[in-house]
Amino acid sequence: MAKQPADRPKRVTMTDVARRAGVSQPTVSFVLNDRRDVAVAAETRRRVLEAAAELNFVPNRAAQQLRSNRSFTIGVVTNGIVSQPYAGLIVLGIQQVVQPADYVCMVVDTTDDPEEGDAAVASLLAQGVGAILYASPSPKPLHQSPRLDGIRTIFVNCWPETGKADTVLLADEYAGGRAAAAAVFDRGHRAVAFLGGPRNDYACKERRRGFADAARAAGLRPTDLLHRYGTYQIGSGYDLATEAVAEHGSTALVCGNDRMAIGALLALHDLGLDCPKDVSIVGFDDQPDVADQVRPRLTTAALPHLMLGRRAGELVLAGPDDAPERVVVDCQLIERDSVGDPPRRTSRPRRRS
């Protein structure tokens, strides 16, 4: 005779919690659903929460959603973010905040095709999400689906091409660029080169503005300093750094990102120079497992991807009332080993043969 399967353990209900706490079931519902519009004594609230913890009570979110017409699911639409080495911290930050509140993130990674993005949003809306968060690995405008009427929409590290979002969260690229440049100007460097990414890239333009203001604060004219533009890649940093140091005698390089800074380090090696003894280098991003692992360890402005995600999660939990239209998160300067005093050099170096 086949053995009968064991009975499933009985699901703990609000009635069980009420019995343990010595209160009514509606009181348990008011406490566990955080109904602040209903007066519940502090001692009663404490007993309910302790009883729920002792019984390992797990809320039935599906039933709650039906009763309250409230969704506990968030749709996150990204464009290439899951394949980036550090931008995925945005999604991690969102999850760190909303998951303890029993929310679930549904992440959909799309291409640049607007139709694919619209289809992704339609799929998320069909799942009954309570909010849509667009997230990008780099700051840029993104296509916003026209099907979002009435749905709360937050853009993280991006903004809508057309229309308006409820809230846009961005890193303070300008202040980060200014802090990165000030790191070398404050050490006395005057032959400073700005080695940026693509000239018309939003982040590059904001960081260049910060560089210019840091130069003015140091008593220099930005137009007198070397500006070169590349691709945010290691090879680009190598080529631009070689030109800046070998042809223009630059003693400090403010690079568009950490990858370009690594290229600059390689260029100095081929020129027979040392960082920071001969040339100082500043990066941007504080890329995990890179900026603090190279030698010398990079001084760099940190992109706050994790904090951007956390702030977005906090906005979702706080609700739409009085939500700010724009949130700017600081890019902290991380000082390590790649910046020193200007060298006493009388001749320009030449590349090793």
Side-chain angles (χ1 to χ4, degrees):
M1 182 175 178
K3 186 177 180 181
Q4 296 296 319
D7 292 337
R8 287 185 178 181
K10 180 177 177 291
R11 180 186 178 92
V12 177
T13 67
M14 286 191 182
T15 301
D16 299 322
V17 176
R19 188 178 300 114
R20 171 69 67 93
V23 299
S24 67
Q25 189 273 337
T27 298
V28 173
S29 177
F30 295 150
V31 172
L32 297 183
N33 287 310
D34 201 25
R35 287 281 302 276
R36 298 292 177 173
D37 57 321
V38 179
V40 178
E43 174 60 22
T44 301
R45 183 179 296 275
R46 182 190 64 78
R47 293 207 316 271
V48 169
L49 294 176
E50 284 184 355
E54 291 168 358
L55 295 172
N56 294 319
F57 173 77
V58 178
N60 186 335
R61 284 307 194 192
Q64 286 183 340
Q65 183 170 332
L66 289 173
R67 288 195 300 269
S68 64
N69 195 31
R70 176 185 176 192
S71 174
F72 290 91
T73 305
I74 301 166
V76 182
V77 181
T78 77
N79 186 329
I81 206 170
V82 296
S83 62
Q84 295 293 318
Y86 53 90
L89 291 172
I90 292 177
V91 176
L92 176 61
I94 296 170
Q95 292 176 327
Q96 285 181 345
V97 172
V98 303
Q99 284 182 344
D102 294 323
Y103 281 74
V104 174
C105 288
M106 299 182 66
V107 182
V108 179
D109 200 55
T110 69
T111 66
D112 291 326
D113 184 355
E115 291 186 3
E116 182 175 341
D118 291 348
V121 168
S123 177
L124 290 170
L125 295 178
Q127 301 297 321
V129 297
I132 293 288
L133 277 63
Y134 283 90
S136 172
S138 59
K140 62 182 179 181
L142 291 185
H143 169 75
Q144 181 175 220
S145 172
R147 307 175 186 180
L148 290 171
D149 186 35
I151 299 295
R152 190 170 181 209
T153 310
I154 297 174
F155 278 69
V156 188
N157 206 37
C158 53
W159 57 92
E161 281 182 331
T162 59
K164 183 179 179 181
D166 292 304
T167 304
V168 171
L169 296 96
L170 294 171
D172 196 342
E173 307 276 359
Y174 161 80
R178 180 163 183 163
V184 292
F185 287 128
D186 289 349
R187 294 294 291 263
H189 288 272
R190 292 299 177 262
V192 180
F194 176 84
L195 309 183
R199 184 187 295 267
N200 293 321
D201 174 70
Y202 168 83
C204 180
K205 290 191 292 186
E206 288 297 292
R207 296 169 192 177
R208 185 177 65 223
R209 283 202 310 118
F211 177 89
D213 282 350
R216 294 186 186 97
L220 302 173
R221 292 194 307 176
T223 53
D224 291 341
L225 301 176
L226 184 69
H227 292 71
R228 292 293 184 268
Y229 301 92
T231 64
Y232 288 135
Q233 299 303 318
I234 291 175
S236 178
Y238 179 96
D239 292 339
L240 297 181
T242 299
E243 176 192 350
V245 175
E247 298 180 19
H248 298 276
S250 298
T251 66
L253 308 174
V254 178
C255 298
N257 65 358
D258 293 342
R259 289 191 293 274
M260 294 184 75
I262 291 172
L265 285 171
L266 295 174
L268 294 189
H269 178 268
D270 282 355
L271 291 169
L273 299 176
D274 176 77
C275 173
K277 178 182 175 182
D278 298 306
V279 178
S280 292
I281 294 176
V282 183
F284 209 109
D285 288 351
D286 193 30
Q287 185 170 333
D289 300 321
V290 173
D292 63 342
Q293 296 298 310
V294 296
R295 294 296 183 269
R297 300 179 308 149
L298 279 178
T299 290
T300 183
L303 276 179
H305 282 133
L306 183 68
M307 185 55 64
L308 284 169
R310 292 186 62 84
R311 289 289 290 116
E314 290 166 0
L315 289 171
V316 169
L317 296 185
D321 296 339
D322 300 321
E325 292 186 4
R326 183 181 176 91
V327 176
V328 178
V329 180
D330 183 45
C331 294
Q332 180 184 4
L333 180 70
I334 309 298
E335 297 186 75
R336 296 193 178 99
D337 309 321
S338 62
V339 173
D341 295 332
R344 295 179 178 178
R345 192 168 67 222
T346 57
S347 60
R348 292 178 184 173
R350 296 188 180 276
R351 186 183 305 191
R352 291 174 176 172
S353 58

